[in-house]
Amino acid sequence: CADRPEKPRASALRACGLLVEVLPPEDSTVEGTSKGAPLLQRLAEALVQGVASPPPKCQWNACRAIGQVYQSKAFLGCSLRSQVHDLLLKTLCKEAGCSTNMKVRIQAVQALAQVPPDAAFWAPSVGDAILVALSEAIVAMAPSEGDGEGTRVEERQRVSYAKQLRAEVYLSGQHWAACASVPASSSARAALALALPGLRELLAEGEAAGAAEAMAEAAASGEATTTQRGGCSRWRARLAEEGLMPDEGDASSK
């Protein structure tokens, strides 16, 4: 994972994700090196370094592999999973909120949706960190002065990536709403407040997509469409419950 050429590094980082998927839980704590570091911890450290080290192709492969770590039996059965979780989460949140490369940000946001739902992985600080990262990603998606100035191919690619990022942020927000253990802190609420205009649009898009999917599935199965699947999203409901999603009329009247 430390090779300088891009292709070998990207392949090695991608292989880390595949390796951890087949690593039995009991092997994740075996002292397999002279340093005595558990294998899973060493893989996690390599992935964190990969995320932090350009080029982008290596970074997004490392982010994707982190998502695979979170879903692996090796991670769930590791005695050091708490320390590994802290290490991986900090890295993902930084890239989700601040990366200047769209594909890196997409993979980081996608990996955040892979954090296991067990309460052990959702300390208050975890829920806050993820909500802040998603809020920063939403703010970064706002149109800028430079948009539309590239070639036609570049602009189509940018639009395509932006659409994918919006979808991934929505899914990760849904995951946060289902798993976050306590109400958002004041700092997380402040970050979300800055993202509210874009968040409203994103929620509407996600809910519309969910409604269309529900209708398509109902039509295919011959069943009636349920309003629950096509209505208010879990994310919107959670934000409203915490007083973080005021009505647009209330916001405009202030």
Side-chain angles (χ1 to χ4, degrees):
C1 295
D3 287 347
R4 290 186 179 275
E6 176 180 330
K7 288 185 178 180
R9 276 188 61 211
S11 297
L13 291 165
R14 187 163 56 248
C16 286
L18 298 174
L19 175 60
V20 78
E21 285 184 341
V22 299
L23 187 67
E26 60 269 19
D27 286 352
S28 63
T29 56
V30 171
E31 296 184 354
T33 69
S34 58
K35 294 182 180 180
L39 179 54
L40 182 65
Q41 183 180 2
R42 288 172 60 81
L43 287 172
E45 291 170 352
L47 292 175
V48 167
Q49 183 61 38
V51 172
S53 306
K57 184 175 182 179
C58 296
Q59 293 175 286
W60 78 63
N61 272 290
C63 287
R64 181 178 178 82
I66 289 176
Q68 292 171 286
V69 170
Y70 273 129
Q71 292 297 301
S72 69
K73 293 180 180 179
F75 172 73
L76 295 174
C78 180
S79 61
L80 296 177
R81 59 184 176 273
S82 179
Q83 295 94 312
V84 171
H85 176 39
D86 290 344
L87 185 67
L88 299 181
L89 183 77
K90 181 179 180 180
T91 298
L92 289 179
C93 287
K94 178 181 178 181
E95 297 305 316
C98 303
S99 177
T100 57
N101 183 277
M102 191 78 80
K103 290 185 71 174
V104 174
R105 182 169 282 179
I106 287 170
Q107 291 297 333
V109 171
Q110 190 177 73
L112 287 175
Q114 304 305 313
V115 175
D118 190 285
F121 300 107
W122 286 87
S125 60
V126 172
D128 281 348
I130 291 178
L131 187 58
V132 169
L134 296 180
S135 299
E136 291 173 344
I138 292 170
V139 171
M141 285 189 284
S144 61
E145 294 182 1
D147 290 348
E149 294 183 357
T151 66
R152 186 175 300 178
V153 172
E154 289 172 339
E155 182 61 14
R156 282 202 304 265
Q157 188 178 61
R158 187 194 67 78
V159 171
S160 175
Y161 286 156
K163 182 178 180 180
Q164 184 179 354
L165 178 57
R166 292 176 73 83
E168 297 298 346
V169 169
Y170 178 78
L171 292 176
S172 290
Q174 291 280 77
H175 189 56
W176 170 86
C179 300
S181 59
V182 298
S185 68
S186 57
S187 59
R189 296 169 75 94
L192 186 72
L194 296 176
L196 270 182
L199 177 59
R200 293 185 193 281
E201 295 180 7
L202 187 145
L203 288 174
E205 290 175 8
E207 289 161 352
E213 182 181 352
M215 291 179 65
E217 291 183 4
S221 63
E223 298 177 354
T225 305
T226 61
T227 55
Q228 182 179 5
R229 289 196 58 191
C232 177
S233 66
R234 183 185 292 117
W235 195 2
R236 185 190 294 273
R238 174 68 185 267
L239 293 174
E241 180 184 322
E242 294 190 24
L244 297 173
M245 179 58 72
D247 293 336
E248 292 188 60
D250 294 342
S252 63
S253 64
K254 292 181 180 180

